[in-house]
Amino acid sequence: MPLTTSEIQALDSAHYMHPFTDHKALAEKGARVITRGEGVYIWDSEGNKILDGMSGLWCVNVGYGRKELVEAAVKQMEVLPYYNSFFQTTNVPAVQLADRIIKLAGERYSHVLFGSSGSESNDTIVRMVRHYWTTLGQPERSVIISRKNAYHGSTMCGASLGGMSGMHAQGGLPIPGIVHIEQPYHFGLAPDQDKDAFGIEAAGWLEQKILEVGADKVAAFIGEPVQGAGGVIIPPKTYWPEIQRICDKYGILLICDEVICGFGRLGAWFGSELMGAKPDLMTFAKGVTSGYIPLGGVVVGKRVAEVLIEKGGEFNHGYTYSGHPVACAVALANLDLIEKEGLVERVRDETGPHLAHCFAALAEHPLVAGAETFGMVAGLVLMKDKHQHLAFDEDLEVGMICRKHCFAHGLIMRAVGDRMIVAPPLAMTKEQIDEMVRLIRLCLDATLQELKERGYMD
Ligand SMILES: *Cc1c(COP(=O)(O)O)cnc(C)c1O
C-alpha cells in the first residue's frame, strides 16, 4: 500500500528538515507532496495538476520527463558510475563536458572546475581568486565586493557573498573579506530617475567601494547578470558595461554568477553575453543538467587559468564529486536537447518576446505597479496604490497571500516580498505561456478581492 498524503506529511514533519523553512509553521498545515512531473507540469499526492512557473527552482529548463536524460544516466551508471579526478585520473564525460562548455562560453575561457552545486562553485571561486592574487605576489588583494540582496548560495562562502540580510543574521556571516554595495534596483530605489542614468550611478557604487576598501586590496567583484532569488532584479542596460569599465580600470577580476542566467534562460548561452560584461570567471549549476542531477562548476577565463596553471602549483581544492561521470553525462544529454530543440534561440526570438508582451499587459492590472521580463524570467510588483507608488505594509505579507492563491489555482509562482516572479521551463510553448498568464491574472484578481475584503485596499 502506498503511503497516504497525511502519512507522508507526518513522516515529513517528524524527520525531514527542509531548506529555508519554519518547521513549526509547516507542521501545522503539512507539506505539499510532489509526486510526478511531465513537460511543464507537476502533480501532487492528491492528484492536483500544477503548472510549474518556476522550473522547480530555476533549473528544470528542458521540462520534466525527458527520456534522453534518463537514458544518459543509466548508460553511464552501467559503464562507470563513479570515479574521481584527484590522482592524475580523469573520465570521458567530464572531459567532453568541459570542452563543450568552453566552446559555448567562447574564446576568453579555457578551463572548467566542476562541483556539485552553485554554492560549492562560489566557494571554489573565492579560494581561486585569492590563490590567483597570491600567486601574482599580491596576497593583500583578497576582498570580494558583492551586492545586497544577491543570492550566491547557502554555504559559509556562498551566503557571505550573497546579500540576504536574513541569512547574514544567522551563523556569524558574512565571513571576513566580503563587502556589499547596493543592488541596481531602479524600481525600488529611484523610480523617478532616468533608468540609464541610474544604471551608471549604481555601477559607480562599485568604484566608491573600491576606493573605500583600497584598490590594492580588492580581488574581485561578483554579480548575477539578473538577480534571481532577490526578486528578478533586471539592471538598466547601462549598468554592466560600466561595471566592466570600473573593474578594468582597477584591474579587478569580474565574476558573473550564471547559475540561473546560464544555459539559455535569458536567450543566450550565458547572461553576461547580453549584458556587455566580460567576466573572468563564471559560476554555473542549475540549468546545466536541467536539475535532473546535481552539478555545478566554474568556467575559468584564460587570464586566471594561465596564472594558476603556469605559476600556481597545486591548488589544494576540489570535491569528491568534481567531474562526476554520471552528472556530466546527463549534462551532455541536456545540452544536446537544448541545441536540438533550439531552446536558446527560441527564448531569444519567440517565447521570451511573447512572455514580455504578456507581462506588459499584466502591468495594467490594478494591483500591479510594474512588470518586467528578460528572456524567460519575469517579475511584477504588487502595490497598494500604483499611481502614488505606495507599497503595502510589509507585515501584511501580500506576496504570500498572492502565492497562496497561485497554489490554489494550480500555478507555482514565487513571492519575494511583494514581488511575484516566474522562471518557467525554457521548453514552455507560447500556448503554455498564455495558459500561465491567464492563471496569473486569475490569481491577481483573487488576491485583489481578498485584500479588499480584509480592508487592506480601497
Ligand atoms: C541557486 C543559486 C546558487 C546556489 O546554488 P545551489 O546549487 O543551491 O548551491 C548560487 N547562485 C545563484 C545565482 C543561484 O540562483
Side-chain angles (χ1 to χ4, degrees):
M1 273 276 286
L3 296 172
T4 64
T5 299
S6 51
E7 285 167 341
I8 301 166
Q9 287 171 331
L11 289 175
D12 179 78
S13 82
H15 302 300
Y16 181 28
M17 217 177 236
H18 296 214
F20 290 91
T21 296
D22 176 341
H23 285 85
K24 209 164 160 186
L26 179 63
E28 281 166 23
K29 51 183 201 165
R32 179 184 278 230
V33 185
I34 304 302
T35 52
R36 190 162 76 79
E38 186 63 42
V40 300
Y41 301 98
I42 52 175
W43 280 263
D44 69 16
S45 54
E46 297 293 286
N48 295 303
K49 180 182 178 186
I50 306 158
L51 180 65
D52 185 6
M54 281 306 297
S55 311
L57 211 46
W58 322 82
C59 52
V60 188
N61 290 356
V62 295
Y64 297 89
R66 305 305 297 261
K67 298 286 177 291
E68 295 87 339
L69 275 60
V70 179
E71 280 156 18
V74 170
K75 214 168 117 198
Q76 186 57 43
M77 279 198 188
E78 283 169 353
V79 176
L80 181 71
Y82 174 75
Y83 203 73
N84 70 73
S85 305
F86 277 51
F87 311 117
Q88 308 197 348
T89 51
T90 191
N91 71 77
V92 180
V95 171
Q96 287 180 322
L97 182 60
D99 173 57
R100 188 92 172 256
I101 289 173
I102 291 304
K103 289 199 171 99
L104 293 173
E107 59 175 19
R108 199 164 55 253
Y109 303 92
S110 64
H111 286 75
V112 179
L113 195 158
F114 292 109
S116 302
S117 70
S119 303
E120 277 182 2
S121 304
N122 281 325
D123 278 44
T124 294
I125 282 188
V126 170
R127 297 202 53 199
M128 190 183 273
V129 301
R130 288 179 175 166
H131 182 47
Y132 166 84
W133 286 116
T134 302
T135 301
L136 286 178
Q138 300 179 60
E140 65 289 352
R141 267 207 192 240
S142 65
V143 175
I144 296 167
I145 301 178
S146 180
R147 302 180 297 181
K148 291 182 185 164
N149 203 32
Y151 190 77
H152 296 299
S154 197
T155 51
M156 293 293 280
C157 259
S160 296
L161 289 172
M164 300 287 179
S165 50
M167 292 174 76
H168 289 179
Q170 299 170 341
L173 302 182
I175 57 171
I178 295 175
V179 297
H180 298 79
I181 59 173
E182 190 53 83
Q183 60 181 336
Y185 184 23
H186 178 256
F187 183 88
L189 295 172
D192 299 328
Q193 192 179 345
D194 173 74
K195 212 168 175 175
D196 289 347
F198 173 76
I200 300 286
E201 184 182 332
W205 300 331
L206 172 60
E207 186 158 26
Q208 281 174 20
K209 187 58 95 179
I210 291 169
L211 297 175
E212 185 189 314
V213 172
D216 55 345
K217 295 199 172 56
V218 179
F221 172 74
I222 183 169
E224 303 151 81
V226 168
Q227 280 170 283
V232 180
I233 309 297
I234 301 166
K237 63 180 187 304
T238 49
Y239 180 76
W240 276 106
E242 182 65 5
I243 289 283
Q244 180 70 58
R245 190 190 66 77
I246 293 166
C247 287
D248 290 345
K249 180 173 171 189
Y250 296 98
I252 288 165
L253 293 169
L254 178 60
I255 307 158
C256 280
D257 183 336
E258 296 269 3
V259 169
I260 287 175
C261 299
F263 300 102
R265 171 117 344 246
L266 301 187
W269 281 100
F270 294 95
S272 45
E273 282 171 41
L274 298 171
M275 298 292 169
K278 295 187 170 62
D280 300 294
L281 297 152
M282 297 193 289
T283 324
F284 65 91
K286 297 191 171 120
V288 68
T289 57
S290 285
Y292 277 59
I293 197 163
L295 180 68
V298 180
V299 191
V300 186
K302 288 176 183 164
R303 174 180 174 192
V304 174
E306 278 165 13
V307 169
L308 292 184
I309 291 167
E310 292 304 319
K311 307 195 196 106
E314 181 171 332
F315 181 31
N316 299 313
H317 176 74
Y319 307 104
T320 301
Y321 297 132
S322 287
H324 193 290
V326 179
C328 292
V330 171
L332 286 164
N334 180 56
L335 297 181
D336 284 344
L337 255 189
I338 295 175
E339 278 178 1
K340 196 176 94 205
E341 300 185 351
L343 291 183
V344 180
E345 297 75 19
R346 243 172 75 187
V347 170
R348 185 189 65 203
D349 300 332
E350 196 187 315
T351 49
H354 187 62
L355 185 68
H357 176 76
C358 295
F359 262 67
L362 283 176
E364 308 290 314
H365 193 278
L367 257 187
V368 177
E372 281 180 302
T373 71
F374 200 129
M376 287 292 261
V377 290
L380 47 82
V381 198
L382 308 179
M383 278 197 159
K384 185 180 170 81
D385 186 335
K386 62 196 257 180
H387 304 293
Q388 315 243 24
H389 206 85
L390 191 62
F392 287 104
D393 185 342
E394 250 178 66
D395 297 338
L396 301 180
E397 298 201 321
V398 168
M400 286 304 179
I401 294 175
C402 185
R403 195 182 71 165
K404 177 192 73 182
H405 287 292
C406 292
F407 268 133
H409 283 84
L411 169 69
I412 303 278
M413 192 177 193
R414 182 161 160 182
V416 180
D418 292 346
R419 285 182 73 80
M420 301 302 300
I421 60 179
V422 288
L426 309 186
M428 190 177 254
T429 63
K430 280 166 84 172
E431 292 70 32
Q432 289 167 335
I433 291 175
D434 290 338
E435 182 190 345
M436 178 177 75
V437 172
R438 188 182 60 80
L439 287 173
I440 293 174
R441 199 178 285 279
L442 286 176
C443 300
L444 290 170
D445 289 343
T447 306
L448 179 62
Q449 192 183 340
E450 175 169 347
L451 294 176
K452 283 183 171 166
E453 281 166 12
R454 291 211 203 169
Y456 296 167
M457 243 181 125
D458 306 326

